[in-house]
Amino acid sequence: MAGQDEAVIPDLFLTPDERENPDTRIDEGKPPGVAWTEGNHVRAIVHGAPYLAELHERIEALGDGDLLYFVDWRGDPDQLLTDDPGSSVSATFSAAARRGAEVRGLLWRSHWHRFGFHSQKSRLLGIEIDEAGGQCLRDMRVRTGGSHHQKFVLLRHRDDPGRDIAYLGGIDLCHGRRDSIAHEGDPQRIAMPQVFGARPPWHDVQVAIQGPAVADVETTFRERWEDSTPLTLNPGRLASSLLQGEDLQPQPLSPQNPPPPKVGEMTSGGGATASDEGATASEAVQIVRTYPSILPKGYDFAPRGERSIAHANTKAVAHARHLIYLEDQYLWSEEVGRHFGEALRANPQLRLIAVIPMVPDVDGAVSLPPQLYGRKLAMDLLLEAGGDRVAVYGLTSDAGYPIYVHAKVCVIDDVWSSVGSDNFNRRSWSSDSEIACTVQDTRVRGLDEPAPRDSFARRLRRELVAEHTGLDPQDVPDDADELWDLMAQRADALDEWYASGAGPRGRRHLPRPKGPMKGTSVRWRRRSGAWSGADGVERPPGRLRRLSPPELSRAQMLWAPRLYDAFDPDGTILRDDAI
């Protein structure tokens, strides 16, 4: 393993000062100037079905004195983790509490449920966990219009720290997420536009972290749990909670144990810290977050907020040389467009590939145009800066439905990668609470040296592209030019196949849109049938479709920007720094 003074890590990871949050404890105990850990193993889990099944198996193994800490945007108590009817989130977490595990959770106390949010379900999950001896609280310590968007689960073992593990990424503990690579959707569906079908296909990514970085995820939980700011300062919400007898006082946590040992090292019990894949412990990990500055009282651990996710991505993008690969739910805003556009302008050899949803997850004449406007802002600037060095794709299931891309992934030159809860929009980098895991391989000694083929960044990017192109991961090229051509060829072939068809199944009299994205965000939302291609012609491999900037009418362009500010608020307003 390369020494820290030889590795690329100091160039791409943030230093403690660059985190710009001196009040956090996350970097305590590390060497001076170091804000990351080495000796970790990070593994991507693509899609909700395998992630939730693994989570269920590991929680079932928890016993007396073990820890189960979790944070989420939403928690549905009846969401199944496996096909077993007894594997619901509530039943699984409550059973762990009854076996003596310390179960603690924080869920966002969302906006009013009559507006389509999930505050009541989070309350119910909290009641059921509380009755089992754990504690799950609703947290409203957010900016006006903001949310707690972090999604992570931490498991620590009293007698075997080598088994400690943390999961974080984009996958919530709620309906709609338990899909697989087949993209047939979660049987427990959520409400989405008809274009997604009866069971909306859902693409998502979580990471499993083993090694010392687990402690940084735990510190993130403890900072929020132990914060002295009341769970809500809203008088109406407070009165409602008191009338319902809702628990508003976090119970003390057990003392925090030392970080887990490096993967492969001997533990105090005589065993070695195990990696699920047997890979070397070559991943250096930095945990970065977003917290807004809130009034009237800020967080104890971030009184002025924290924007280390934005800072970390900015630092890494500044070093990009060949390829930035993104998967994102949104890719919104002028700020995000300029963020990547500046890198494209500075380096004529740099390319950018983005995989985003074919269509947004909302419908309606009022709610849809602002989201299309946010996408248009970013895409117009990216294309202006990079031209034909920018490719944006959507995904279509084998059954002909658009796949909703909920992943939040960034891979830069297969050297630096990030997976988290944060999207590429203003609110994720300034207004909501977020968490991300950034990873570099300690075997890389410089920016000019390619990462090993078994490095996390390469494994992650290969697995994602393999699914989208219909290849085995080992057959996905590492060369940026070959990768670019492969994705372009697969998308062009599938677009041509769909263009040769007559339209959605069962409604062949409807005219086809002229392009895979040109205006189709508006047109597709009114069509419930799956798309089909040319009769008698085999569907080309892969799921990629090319996307162009959305088109809005002159009237929509007059009012959509005003509403867009509500969909994607900027938490840096009235502060000196900006995205």
Side-chain angles (χ1 to χ4, degrees):
M1 180 181 295
Q4 235 167 236
D5 58 337
E6 300 174 310
V8 67
I9 294 166
D11 292 328
L12 297 187
F13 276 157
L14 299 177
T15 66
D17 289 342
E18 289 172 332
R19 191 184 288 275
E20 295 186 356
N21 180 13
D23 297 279
T24 180
R25 305 194 309 267
I26 196 170
D27 297 325
E28 290 182 359
K30 299 180 176 68
V34 174
W36 61 87
T37 60
E38 296 185 15
N40 303 286
H41 178 62
V42 184
R43 172 172 49 90
I45 308 176
V46 183
H47 307 309
Y51 162 58
L52 296 175
E54 178 177 323
L55 185 62
H56 178 263
E57 180 180 2
R58 289 191 181 257
I59 293 176
E60 287 282 283
L62 293 178
D64 187 32
D66 296 337
L67 303 183
L68 164 54
Y69 294 165
F70 67 99
V71 165
D72 216 317
W73 174 78
R74 171 173 176 168
D76 290 343
D78 63 334
Q79 172 60 41
L80 297 180
L81 302 180
T82 72
D83 290 333
D84 183 350
S87 68
S88 69
V89 171
S90 177
T92 302
F93 286 34
S94 296
R98 293 189 183 98
R99 291 193 300 272
E102 183 174 290
V103 179
R104 301 289 185 267
L106 288 170
L107 299 173
W108 175 44
R109 180 170 181 170
S110 68
H111 309 308
W112 198 24
H113 69 95
R114 295 189 182 276
F115 291 148
F117 289 92
H118 42 82
S119 179
Q120 295 292 359
K121 291 193 173 185
S122 298
R123 168 74 173 132
L124 179 58
L125 179 58
I127 291 173
E128 295 177 354
I129 290 177
D130 291 355
E131 290 175 347
Q135 192 176 32
C136 177
L137 304 174
R138 294 191 298 175
D139 189 350
M140 194 56 185
R141 293 170 291 193
V142 296
R143 290 175 60 90
T144 301
S147 74
H148 283 302
H149 198 244
Q150 294 176 338
K151 320 153 195 299
F152 64 83
V153 179
L154 172 83
L155 308 178
R156 298 207 67 178
H157 304 79
R158 182 185 62 185
D159 300 324
D160 191 359
R163 294 167 56 207
D164 292 351
I165 192 166
Y167 300 96
L168 67 83
I171 303 178
D172 299 280
L173 300 169
C174 71
H175 295 171
R177 274 48 170 180
R178 196 166 68 94
D179 198 1
S180 68
I181 193 171
H183 284 310
E184 296 173 347
D186 187 341
Q188 294 173 279
R189 63 158 293 160
I190 56 173
M192 293 184 72
Q194 280 189 325
V195 66
F196 289 98
R199 285 168 48 171
W202 195 275
H203 174 73
D204 222 330
V205 179
Q206 203 85 343
V207 290
I209 307 167
Q210 293 173 280
V214 169
D216 291 343
V217 181
E218 181 180 357
T219 297
T220 298
F221 178 86
R222 287 176 177 270
E223 285 183 332
R224 278 186 58 185
W225 185 269
E226 297 169 348
D227 191 81
S228 66
T229 306
L231 290 174
T232 179
L233 292 173
N234 181 293
R237 289 292 183 93
L238 179 60
S240 172
S241 293
L242 294 174
L243 287 172
Q244 296 179 64
E246 182 174 5
D247 190 356
L248 298 175
Q249 187 60 46
Q251 299 173 7
L253 301 175
S254 59
Q256 186 169 2
N257 288 328
K262 294 182 178 181
V263 173
E265 286 189 350
M266 300 300 290
T267 68
S268 58
T273 308
S275 157
D276 291 312
E277 294 184 345
T280 56
S282 61
E283 281 92 24
V285 170
Q286 182 167 67
I287 301 298
V288 288
R289 297 91 58 91
T290 299
Y291 291 111
S293 176
I294 58 174
L295 297 173
K297 181 183 183 302
Y299 308 108
D300 298 339
F301 57 88
R304 294 191 69 251
E306 178 176 325
R307 297 183 55 250
S308 55
I309 287 178
H311 296 327
N313 194 276
T314 298
K315 188 172 186 177
V317 166
H319 289 83
R321 298 187 175 196
H322 306 291
L323 180 67
I324 300 175
Y325 178 88
L326 309 175
E327 293 195 359
D328 194 56
Q329 180 182 4
Y330 295 124
L331 197 68
W332 283 359
S333 82
E334 180 180 353
E335 291 84 353
V336 167
R338 294 194 185 284
H339 170 79
F340 291 109
E342 289 174 2
L344 289 164
R345 282 195 173 89
N347 182 357
Q349 306 304 314
L350 182 63
R351 288 171 165 171
L352 183 144
I353 296 173
V355 179
I356 63 176
M358 291 285 292
V359 291
D361 62 340
V362 298
D363 204 344
V366 174
S367 57
L368 182 61
Q371 297 208 26
L372 297 179
Y373 173 76
R375 178 183 290 192
K376 178 177 174 61
L377 282 175
M379 290 183 68
D380 283 348
L381 287 169
L382 289 174
L383 292 169
E384 178 185 332
D388 60 5
R389 293 181 288 125
V390 174
V392 183
Y393 299 107
L395 302 175
T396 304
S397 74
D398 296 346
Y401 293 103
I403 298 170
Y404 191 69
V405 178
H406 194 255
K408 299 95 168 57
V409 172
C410 180
V411 181
I412 297 177
D413 291 334
D414 287 348
V415 170
W416 181 96
S417 57
S418 172
V419 178
S421 65
D422 58 299
N423 293 294
F424 288 106
N425 60 1
R426 296 188 305 194
R427 69 181 309 139
S428 280
W429 282 7
S430 65
S431 186
D432 294 347
S433 70
E434 306 281 6
I435 186 170
C437 168
T438 64
V439 183
Q440 294 179 76
D441 197 295
T442 54
R443 294 170 293 178
V444 176
R445 296 174 181 268
L447 289 171
D448 292 325
E449 179 181 331
R453 187 164 172 79
D454 64 347
S455 66
F456 172 74
R458 285 197 187 278
R459 287 187 281 117
L460 171 64
R461 196 259 308 144
R462 277 202 310 271
E463 183 173 359
L464 294 171
V465 174
E467 177 186 338
H468 304 333
T469 58
L471 291 175
D472 183 278
Q474 294 304 314
D475 295 330
V476 174
D478 289 333
D479 180 78
D481 292 338
E482 293 179 13
L483 180 73
W484 178 274
D485 292 342
L486 168 68
M487 296 183 71
Q489 290 165 5
R490 292 295 166 97
D492 290 343
L494 194 56
D495 282 344
E496 183 178 349
W497 184 76
Y498 274 112
S500 65
R505 294 169 186 161
R507 302 177 66 182
R508 295 186 178 276
H509 60 284
L510 291 175
R512 286 286 299 173
K514 294 181 180 179
M517 181 59 188
K518 197 170 184 179
T520 56
S521 288
V522 175
R523 294 173 185 173
W524 274 30
R525 70 184 178 90
R526 297 189 177 96
R527 297 177 177 181
S528 58
W531 288 104
S532 61
D535 291 334
V537 178
E538 183 178 357
R539 187 183 193 273
R543 293 165 172 164
L544 292 169
R545 308 290 307 278
R546 284 191 182 271
L547 298 182
S548 303
E551 295 179 349
L552 281 79
S553 69
R554 289 185 179 181
Q556 289 172 332
M557 288 296 293
L558 292 176
W559 60 266
R562 309 287 80 76
L563 267 183
Y564 171 70
D565 290 336
F567 277 96
D568 190 22
D570 182 0
T572 63
I573 292 174
L574 302 182
R575 290 180 52 187
D576 293 335
D577 53 349
I579 293 178

